[in-house]
Amino acid sequence: MTPPQGTPSSLASVTRRHFFSRCSIGLGSVALASLLDRTGAHALSGATSHPLAPRAGHLPARAKNVIFLFMAGGPSQLELFDYKPRLQELNGQAIPDSYLEGKRFAFMDSSFKNKSTLLASRRAFKRHGASGMWVSELFPHTARIVDDVTFIRSCATDVFNHAPAKLFMNTGSSQFGRPSMGAWVTYGIGSDADNLPGFVVLQSGPRGPRGGAVNWGSGFLPTTFQGVPLRAQGEPILNLTTPDGISSQRQRRTIDAVRDLNLQRLVETGDPEITTRIAAYEMAYRMQTSAPEAIDLRGESDATLALYGADRGTPSFARNCLLARRLVERGVRFIQLYHTNWDSHGGPGENLENDFEKVCREVDQGQAALVKDLKSRGLLEDTLVVWGGEFGRTPMGESREKTGRNHHIDAFTMWVAGAGVKAGAIIGETDELGFGPVRERVHVHDLHATLLHLLGLDHKRLTFRFQGRDFRLTDVHGEIVTPLLA
Amino acid sequence: MRPFPKISSALLTALAFGAFPASGDYLQDVKPVLTRHCVACHGADQQKAGLRLDTAEALRKGGDSGPGIVPKSSGQSLAIQVIEGAHDSISRMPYKKPPLAHEELDAIRAWIDEGAPAPANEAPGRFVHWAFVPPVRETPPDIAAHPIDAFIRDRLARENIEPSPEADPITLLRRLHLDLTGLPPTPGEVDSYLGDSRPEAYERRVDQLLQSPHHGERWARWWLDVARYADSNGYSIDAPRSLWPWRDWVIRAFHEDKPFDTFIVEQLAGDLLPDATLDQRIATGFHRNTQINQEGGIDPEQFRIESIIDRVNTTGTAFLGLTVGCAQCHDHKFDPISQREYFQLFAFLNNQDEPTLPIPTPEQQAARDWHDTRVRRLEAELKALTADTGNPPAGESFGKTEAPAASADASSGAAKDAQDTNTAPDPARIRSELKRLQRSRPGVDTTLVLVEREKPRESYVFIKGDFTRRGPDVTPATPAVLHPSRFPEGRLPTRLDLARWIVDPANPLTARVTVNRVWQQYFGRGLVETENDFGTQGIPPTHPRLLDWLATELIREKWSLHALHRLIVTSATYRQSSHVRPDLANRDANNRLLARQNRLRLDAEIIRDVALAASGKLDRTVGGPGVYPPQPAGVMNLGQSRREWLVSDGGDRYRRGLYTFFWRATPHPALAVFDAPDAFSACTRRLRSNTPLQALTLLNDAAFVELAGALAERITREAPPEGRIDLGFRLCLARSPSPTERARLQDLVRAEARDFGEPLAWQSLARVLLNLDETITRE
């Protein structure tokens, strides 16, 4: 047999002949035909077997992408959004027993050695925008976007320790090993990005979120769907960079030779997995260029950087917000930003005084800029921005070195903005102490159901069979929050 | 291929369903079908759509949608329309299950068209789930053939499908080596096999591989998945733990072919066996693979209970293939396991302490003895010095200090001690020395075990699975749907009783579940595809008679897994080519009938092992603490607690993937990216994903790049230039390249040598070889 001179096209024609004479029924022949017809580096993404190929959900989609701003540690709604004048009056008094019956809290021993007393917020609140939403002085930038945002003041979750609660917010279960929402979404509808992962995670703040990578894991779904951390500095994705001493020309030659030999094996065995592998190598190669490009802010104007309060080189939440916009522009389906530390117990580095002011400053401008920037570029119509932590904080104070509040699961505030949701609405209300919701309670499962709905997915039909059961993001719960929908 | 006679369709049906012809006889042909497929939802227990199908009379009468059948007109009969999926508004039945076989449908049609005669006084058909009935051993259909082939080919013949030819010898040998040891054959091992022209060369190789300690390693990993093994505690803090002695116990057990029933009993209750040996106590580490939550602010009892629940669920999954976890919060929706029965199982597993067991090596013990002797001597000295003043000696943590300073048992350290104490006795100096010693007591190996408590804890139902809501008290008992327990009277049954009940040959599940999971390793899919659900929601076996034959064979062979491995890998079914069969694309695209082998991407650890073996770097040491091969910078930052990853030196840098230290929160990326399980719950089947991140790992990960360099050096060292492509190919793939493949690689090497010089050309060749789909695939 004449050597194919290493050119993909001559090999492909040999391959095609063999393929169609030997195993034309063995594979999706359309997929292979398109694979072989377009042998250039770029064409292989067309292989239909790619698990992240975009596809329609169950319903018409209102949103294409999601940016989830995860405030890790549980931000205090009582210092930011849930204004409670009554709490001011009752400052220092014991909380009525009726509120505590049957409740469990984290740090039960330390919290209840001395029965904890109500703690007034020392932050000044004002009404903002047409909706008249209360926002505290700590979020001056966010206060200016309230009319693009819907606040949910009645969020509730089930678990009160950080790691399980974060898992619960991300996977709908406090058990390890379940897929995260980004994984479910890309499993459901794939991604428009053909040279970046479909689910990307960005982190900022002093430490990683509790629980780590399981928060964006794929659980029992294939690993294709797991979140890929995009690192702010150095190599953006693990193993993205061609090894030292290997030029990009050599890398390309290596990949070409791998592809040609894999094609040979495909002809020999007829195994469609080889088609997928060839496509995966091509995407990997493209990612080597596209991921560094995506995080390279040299093309962003000074005005844009000033809007976010970011600078081109220094990692920060603001910079990650800008990166999130760039990822949306590149078709990434689900982007999650984690920022720590919101765990304001009152201990060192975690008080509701200067520490809380600091973390508020770290996020305020960037998150507001993100919404404004998306809007001015017409991207907010297709992009859903979600803001919130794994739970909120108690109306009672904690007695540590400085002021703080304990974890609270009954009522906390989240906000959403953009595709398919109302602009400038307020959902839910809490009692006079901010302890529990008095109307329109929105449970994590409801939030998940709504998020999937906006993306065109029916949360009851998006299932995966594992250990003998059809699993869902919403377990056996979840109601769509219709007041939220535009 | 044996000749396939032309036979009538009636005979085909008879072959397909045991012994009955499709005459349309109700009791023989119709009722068994309805009972098997329909009565679970339309019978005495449930009457979905107001319908029962457990008697002919009930079928005639029908349910909410009208009469089930129109006698003498199968075409107009609702039941037929629905079973065919031809009805406008009712889903195809059985709902979300495979459709009835043509023969089954034909039998029902024939019976209806004959007027649907029904027996008088018919007893309602009662659904008994196949997996809850003990396996029945049937004689294989062809007693001259290998029993596995007899069953598989009998089924293929009924579909008029020919099996595939045997794989070519080298492909088969590589398959065998990878399946039995997780390592590819070396070129020498290939040559010796090809050169062995005596009969039964293959069988001899099988026996050799089963004797290899690497067989123990390869199959230990299979069990570690089920056991959710990791080297850290999990949850958010994820501190390291020492449980590798248990992992090594598993390796030894598979290496020595410990009978699988003993293997199970020792893991569940080794501590309760009479005169339990150290090894039997180490074995109880199986259930210490649960996570431990060390986060602040938690309620420890909550997480102790979480771990017991994990143990109950894992016990159900690992040995019974049942989703008992569903019954934690409510009676099982589909399987006959009540919430009460769930907590009766819980009660078996709720009575243990969870200590750390020191297991010093002789050297460690000697070092510690010497240290302790010294401490006792110093303490005695101090006591003597301070006796007058009445000052208490500082720090007294090593028990009674009766050993006199100059006792005869002073060890080889005595001389050194004499030196140390040469100066005048000074209490302050002795105290500070004691303090130092107490901080530096030599460590010993430890492992985590279970130890039964003297007095059992109280167990009770948790209402809705919530541990704060106490329901009725329970005592240990086994689920009523399974075989009866024969527990001794007069005392509460223990974990040991539970373990013995699990391996009781009367248990319809354990042997079936075990052979099915072994089968799955060899073919990529079990005979029961839902390898972790043998309950009513699972998918029934493709080859029920083979499954039962293998299950009874396992017991007959005294639970020897080596015998089972040998049986499977010597079958022609196993030895077939794995090439996709175009002729079966429409008839059996997923290869459920096994007319060929399957190509299977290797497990994460073995992908590493193949690269290590090909490059010649593999360190074949068996067992020991986890090791730290290179990994990309920054991985450890992803967890909540930033932990160190100090890359191992020497041989430990090149150990098999199974020994890579496994942090649950931050697993080694090259393992995670190739679908190594997360160790949070029992994993009974790995996914096999195929992603760009895998490509980046093989192309760019420093560990693989290093091994590619080593492979390039090796072929440069071991072969002349014209032989290097072939040698590299054989090291990775066992076979030699085809002329086309060789030519393509020559092109690469030529171009690289021209542009970058020859040494780099061999490096590029090596990288290509380690990245080939075939290299990371068992064909």
Side-chain angles (χ1 to χ4, degrees):
Chain A
M1 184 168 183
T2 322
Q5 315 302 336
T7 57
S9 53
S10 64
L11 186 86
S13 73
V14 174
T15 305
R16 189 196 336 265
R17 261 198 321 280
H18 279 255
F19 177 76
F20 288 110
S21 63
R22 291 191 48 189
C23 43
S24 53
I25 325 171
L27 287 180
S29 28
V30 180
L32 195 82
S34 82
L35 179 74
L36 294 182
D37 276 341
R38 301 180 292 149
T39 44
H42 202 75
L44 289 163
S45 65
T48 54
S49 51
H50 195 280
L52 281 172
R55 50 196 166 266
H58 312 113
L59 326 152
R62 310 279 297 273
K64 279 170 68 177
N65 318 295
V66 177
I67 300 174
F68 197 118
L69 308 176
F70 203 112
M71 301 295 123
S76 171
Q77 74 284 6
L78 296 164
E79 269 63 35
L80 294 173
F81 299 119
D82 207 9
Y83 177 52
K84 290 295 155 194
R86 181 79 176 134
L87 203 52
Q88 309 297 117
E89 295 164 22
L90 298 179
N91 185 33
Q93 297 186 31
I95 185 164
D97 283 340
S98 59
Y99 282 95
L100 298 180
E101 242 159 58
K103 303 282 183 195
R104 300 179 67 240
F105 296 92
F107 300 95
M108 285 182 87
D109 297 343
S110 65
S111 303
F112 295 95
K113 247 179 285 169
N114 310 311
K115 194 170 156 189
S116 51
T117 54
L118 294 168
L119 176 70
S121 173
R122 41 183 278 199
R123 305 299 170 184
F125 278 78
K126 266 190 5 204
R127 286 178 177 272
H128 293 272
S131 68
M133 176 68 196
W134 290 99
V135 180
S136 91
E137 59 188 353
L138 295 177
F139 267 178
H141 291 90
T142 309
R144 273 177 244 139
I145 59 161
V146 294
D147 287 336
D148 289 316
V149 168
T150 289
F151 291 89
I152 313 167
R153 294 187 300 203
S154 49
C155 292
T157 183
D158 283 2
V159 266
F160 57 74
N161 285 116
H162 291 287
K166 266 198 200 69
L167 273 182
F168 196 79
M169 182 58 80
N170 277 303
T171 72
S173 165
S174 52
Q175 309 259 312
F176 283 54
R178 303 278 168 83
S180 56
M181 53 188 149
W184 278 113
V185 168
T186 47
Y187 162 70
I189 54 176
S191 168
D192 289 328
D194 67 354
N195 52 17
L196 286 171
F199 174 15
V200 171
V201 177
L202 299 158
Q203 299 180 63
S204 52
R207 67 173 185 210
R210 289 178 200 265
V214 291
N215 287 303
W216 50 87
S218 58
F220 42 70
L221 293 175
T223 47
T224 320
F225 303 114
Q226 81 195 359
V228 176
L230 200 61
R231 282 124 37 100
Q233 278 185 314
E235 204 180 30
I237 293 174
L238 287 181
N239 294 317
L240 185 73
T241 315
T242 301
D244 284 347
I246 293 176
S247 64
S248 106
Q249 186 195 5
R250 289 184 72 204
Q251 183 82 336
R252 185 65 245 176
R253 267 186 191 156
T254 300
I255 292 174
D256 285 348
V258 170
R259 177 198 56 211
D260 289 351
L261 267 71
N262 281 346
L263 277 171
Q264 284 287 313
R265 204 59 197 161
L266 172 62
V267 170
E268 193 65 29
T269 65
D271 183 356
E273 278 294 311
I274 302 179
T275 319
T276 313
R277 178 131 354 253
I278 292 169
Y281 270 74
E282 291 304 328
M283 173 141 166
Y285 183 74
R286 290 197 308 278
M287 270 166 54
Q288 292 199 270
T289 316
S290 54
E293 188 276 329
I295 65 159
D296 180 356
L297 300 183
R298 276 175 298 183
E300 295 290 340
S301 69
D302 290 344
T304 301
L305 287 157
L307 175 70
Y308 282 86
D311 85 59
R312 290 191 178 85
T314 319
S316 67
F317 177 79
R319 187 171 178 274
N320 286 351
C321 285
L322 176 52
L323 290 177
R325 189 213 82 213
R326 292 173 63 86
L327 293 171
V328 161
E329 288 172 325
R330 284 159 180 75
V332 175
R333 183 71 73 194
F334 202 102
I335 301 143
Q336 205 170 24
L337 272 62
Y338 282 87
H339 189 72
T340 53
N341 176 7
W342 288 97
D343 194 14
S344 318
H345 284 288
E350 302 188 328
N351 64 49
L352 274 179
E353 297 158 36
N354 53 333
D355 294 330
F356 193 73
E357 288 165 17
K358 174 169 172 284
V359 68
C360 287
R361 266 196 312 276
E362 285 164 355
V363 302
D364 180 42
Q365 185 177 353
Q367 67 198 20
L370 176 62
V371 172
K372 283 188 208 162
D373 195 21
L374 288 171
K375 191 178 176 189
S376 70
R377 289 168 196 259
L379 295 168
L380 197 59
E381 288 165 34
D382 291 330
T383 306
L384 181 69
V385 181
V386 184
W387 184 100
E390 66 267 38
F391 40 56
R393 313 301 299 192
T394 50
M396 301 85 82
E398 256 190 289
S399 41
R400 298 202 185 181
E401 293 88 333
K402 290 190 170 176
T403 327
R405 299 184 190 275
N406 203 343
H407 310 167
H408 193 55
I409 61 174
D410 290 11
F412 56 100
T413 303
M414 294 182 70
W415 57 257
V416 295
V421 297
K422 281 182 186 148
I426 301 168
I427 296 191
E429 189 184 336
T430 56
D431 58 54
E432 57 180 6
L433 299 180
F435 198 98
V438 293
R439 65 181 173 85
E440 295 180 313
R441 178 177 185 264
V442 175
H443 187 271
V444 171
H445 294 307
D446 305 326
L447 193 78
H448 287 159
T450 311
L451 193 138
L452 293 181
H453 175 80
L454 289 165
L455 290 160
L457 291 164
D458 178 345
H459 71 103
K460 291 182 180 166
R461 286 157 70 195
L462 184 67
T463 62
F464 189 86
R465 198 163 185 81
F466 175 68
Q467 295 197 340
R469 213 189 108 187
D470 285 330
F471 281 87
R472 305 184 345 209
L473 174 59
T474 51
D475 197 0
V476 295
H477 312 282
E479 298 285 336
I480 292 166
V481 187
T482 44
L484 197 65
L485 305 179
Chain B
M1 180 64 194
R2 66 206 177 97
F4 185 78
K6 284 265 173 230
I7 50 172
S8 69
S9 70
L11 182 54
L12 260 182
T13 311
L15 283 167
F17 297 102
F20 54 87
S23 63
D25 180 273
Y26 175 75
L27 285 179
Q28 272 200 69
D29 308 340
V30 178
K31 187 166 181 173
V33 173
L34 297 175
T35 305
R36 193 159 52 233
H37 295 294
C38 314
V39 165
C41 296
H42 304 289
D45 298 332
Q46 292 190 70
Q47 300 85 39
K48 294 208 169 149
L51 177 66
R52 287 181 73 148
L53 296 172
D54 50 354
T55 62
E57 183 54 40
L59 172 57
R60 275 179 184 237
K61 186 163 143 258
D64 300 344
S65 305
I69 55 172
V70 180
K72 293 203 186 268
S73 177
S74 59
Q76 287 178 285
S77 292
L78 182 63
I80 297 294
Q81 292 165 6
V82 169
I83 294 170
E84 285 182 325
H87 196 275
D88 290 340
S89 53
I90 304 176
S91 304
R92 201 262 301 144
M93 294 289 156
Y95 187 57
K96 286 192 176 174
K97 295 265 182 145
L100 264 56
H102 290 300
E103 298 85 355
E104 294 173 311
L105 190 55
D106 286 348
I108 302 172
R109 271 209 204 89
W111 170 67
I112 295 172
D113 290 335
E114 282 161 25
N121 305 322
E122 183 193 353
R126 184 121 194 110
F127 171 75
V128 184
H129 181 59
W130 67 270
F132 300 151
V133 179
V136 176
R137 185 184 177 94
E138 284 183 32
T139 308
D142 175 356
I143 51 166
H146 186 296
I148 288 174
D149 300 328
F151 285 109
I152 294 288
R153 295 188 168 188
D154 179 60
R155 182 82 172 84
L156 286 172
R158 278 188 270 126
E159 305 287 334
N160 211 357
I161 296 173
E162 296 206 21
S164 293
E166 182 162 306
D168 77 81
I170 298 180
T171 302
L172 178 59
L173 189 71
R174 186 173 189 263
R175 178 188 297 167
L176 186 71
H177 276 252
L178 287 169
D179 281 346
L180 290 182
T181 67
L183 294 170
T186 63
E189 286 170 329
V190 174
D191 290 342
S192 71
Y193 175 70
L194 296 178
D196 186 351
S197 54
R198 294 170 296 161
E200 307 210 317
Y202 180 80
E203 286 75 8
R204 270 196 303 283
R205 182 57 61 91
V206 169
D207 286 332
Q208 273 173 28
L209 294 174
L210 285 172
Q211 293 313 311
S212 158
H214 299 312
H215 170 75
E217 294 176 315
R218 195 263 179 275
W219 281 82
R221 189 56 255 184
W222 167 76
W223 189 250
L224 301 185
D225 284 10
V226 175
R228 66 254 187 269
Y229 174 80
D231 297 306
S232 67
N233 286 336
Y235 288 109
S236 53
I237 305 286
D238 202 34
R241 61 164 56 154
S242 171
L243 195 45
W244 58 266
W246 173 79
R247 178 249 279 142
D248 287 356
W249 176 88
V250 176
I251 295 173
R252 281 198 303 281
F254 287 129
H255 176 46
E256 293 161 4
D257 197 20
K258 187 185 282 286
F260 203 69
D261 56 345
T262 311
F263 179 73
I264 293 174
V265 169
E266 292 183 351
Q267 290 184 86
L268 286 176
D271 58 316
L272 294 175
L273 289 167
D275 304 318
T277 63
L278 180 62
D279 261 5
Q280 286 168 333
R281 286 187 290 153
I282 291 173
T284 63
F286 173 74
H287 266 327
R288 292 300 309 276
N289 281 298
T290 45
Q291 295 179 73
I292 299 171
N293 194 344
Q294 296 163 297
E295 189 174 343
I298 61 158
D299 177 348
E301 179 64 2
Q302 175 183 354
F303 289 92
R304 189 189 70 80
I305 285 167
E306 290 276 345
S307 71
I308 310 295
I309 284 170
D310 180 2
R311 287 169 196 162
V312 177
N313 299 352
T314 299
T315 302
T317 301
F319 308 113
L320 304 175
L322 290 181
T323 58
V324 296
C326 295
Q328 182 191 334
C329 306
H330 50 72
D331 288 351
H332 199 294
K333 281 209 168 116
F334 305 108
D335 289 330
I337 296 172
S338 69
Q339 193 193 11
R340 183 182 176 79
E341 286 177 317
Y342 180 89
F343 283 97
Q344 288 170 341
L345 284 174
F346 181 100
F348 280 109
L349 297 169
N350 193 26
N351 302 323
Q352 294 81 46
D353 290 325
E354 306 186 6
T356 298
L357 180 70
I359 41 168
T361 62
E363 297 77 29
Q364 290 169 342
Q365 189 62 57
R368 184 168 268 198
D369 288 347
W370 182 77
H371 176 276
D372 292 353
T373 306
R374 256 192 104 197
V375 168
R376 278 196 300 273
R377 273 176 45 189
L378 287 172
E379 282 174 347
E381 242 176 82
L382 188 65
K383 199 173 174 187
L385 282 170
T386 54
D388 305 333
T389 61
N391 287 343
E396 197 168 356
S397 55
F398 295 107
K400 293 206 174 87
T401 54
E402 74 274 1
S407 73
D409 71 313
S411 59
S412 57
K416 191 171 183 299
D417 282 352
Q419 265 180 10
D420 287 349
T421 51
N422 238 343
T423 50
D426 167 11
R429 198 189 61 78
I430 295 176
R431 277 197 197 97
S432 88
E433 175 66 4
L434 268 174
K435 216 168 201 171
R436 191 187 65 75
L437 283 174
Q438 277 158 8
R439 278 196 303 268
S440 63
R441 189 171 191 230
V444 298
D445 292 342
T446 62
T447 195
L448 305 175
V449 295
L450 294 179
V451 172
E452 196 77 348
R453 290 162 74 94
E454 296 261 316
K455 190 169 177 296
R457 288 191 181 87
E458 288 182 346
S459 294
Y460 43 87
V461 174
F462 301 153
I463 295 166
K464 295 208 167 169
D466 177 350
F467 83 101
T468 62
R469 297 175 65 189
R470 182 171 184 150
D473 288 352
V474 289
T475 52
T478 55
V481 67
L482 295 174
H483 58 296
S485 51
R486 292 169 299 193
F487 295 150
E489 307 215 343
R491 64 166 174 82
L492 287 178
T494 65
R495 252 184 309 135
L496 182 58
D497 296 311
L498 174 68
R500 289 187 167 140
W501 174 84
I502 285 173
V503 301
D504 185 335
N507 186 333
L509 289 167
T510 306
R512 275 189 180 125
V513 166
T514 305
V515 297
N516 191 58
R517 291 208 186 118
V518 171
W519 184 274
Q520 173 184 280
Q521 292 300 101
Y522 289 111
F523 295 96
R525 185 192 298 110
L527 295 166
V528 176
E529 188 175 340
T530 49
E531 81 297 332
N532 53 11
D533 189 1
F534 276 53
T536 60
Q537 293 301 291
I539 297 173
T542 49
H543 298 78
R545 292 183 297 161
L546 173 57
L547 179 70
D548 281 8
W549 191 87
L550 289 170
T552 56
E553 183 68 3
L554 178 67
I555 295 170
R556 200 184 66 82
E557 288 277 8
K558 305 196 166 40
W559 300 83
S560 161
L561 286 193
H562 281 198
L564 180 61
H565 292 311
R566 194 178 293 112
L567 185 69
I568 293 175
V569 301
T570 55
S571 70
T573 303
Y574 172 80
R575 296 165 66 163
Q576 291 177 107
S577 160
S578 60
H579 290 187
V580 171
R581 292 261 301 264
D583 58 317
L584 300 179
N586 297 323
R587 301 167 69 195
D588 187 20
N590 293 319
N591 195 27
R592 289 197 159 70
L593 300 181
L594 293 172
R596 60 176 175 90
Q597 252 288 7
N598 289 309
R599 281 179 99 247
L600 303 174
R601 199 209 70 213
L602 297 174
D603 288 347
E605 297 83 353
I606 296 178
I607 288 174
R608 171 174 169 80
D609 298 345
V610 166
L612 284 167
S615 69
K617 286 286 187 188
L618 176 65
D619 181 318
R620 292 179 181 256
T621 308
V622 176
V627 297
Y628 306 85
Q631 71 175 6
V635 171
M636 305 309 289
N637 299 346
L638 294 176
Q640 174 192 329
S641 311
R642 297 199 174 165
R643 303 207 175 268
E644 273 192 316
W645 185 274
L646 293 174
V647 174
S648 300
D649 289 332
D652 276 354
R653 188 183 175 97
Y654 305 110
R655 299 279 301 283
R656 294 191 67 170
L658 127 114
Y659 298 116
T660 298
F661 194 96
F662 196 94
W663 295 99
R664 281 185 163 104
T666 48
H668 192 289
L671 294 180
V673 80
F674 284 106
D675 305 300
D678 54 18
F680 293 126
S681 59
C683 169
T684 52
R685 175 164 53 163
R686 291 190 181 196
L687 294 163
R688 289 195 170 90
S689 68
N690 190 339
T691 72
L693 297 185
Q694 292 172 357
L696 289 175
T697 303
L698 293 181
L699 284 167
N700 300 340
D701 183 81
F704 282 97
V705 173
E706 181 187 351
L707 295 177
L711 174 59
E713 278 171 31
R714 178 177 187 181
I715 59 176
T716 309
R717 198 170 56 238
E718 295 183 8
E722 66 278 9
R724 288 177 191 161
I725 287 176
D726 278 42
L727 176 60
F729 216 90
R730 294 187 70 199
L731 286 167
C732 293
L733 304 173
R735 67 182 178 93
S736 296
S738 70
T740 321
E741 289 165 336
R742 186 179 295 116
R744 180 65 185 84
L745 291 170
Q746 280 165 349
D747 279 350
L748 171 79
V749 171
R750 216 175 291 133
E752 291 282 277
R754 184 190 63 220
D755 296 342
F756 306 105
E758 210 188 293
L760 292 184
W762 300 121
Q763 185 201 32
S764 294
L765 171 72
R767 288 183 76 218
V768 168
L769 293 173
L770 291 180
N771 274 275
L772 292 179
D773 181 79
E774 188 179 349
T775 301
I776 59 165
T777 301
R778 186 221 75 170
E779 296 213 322

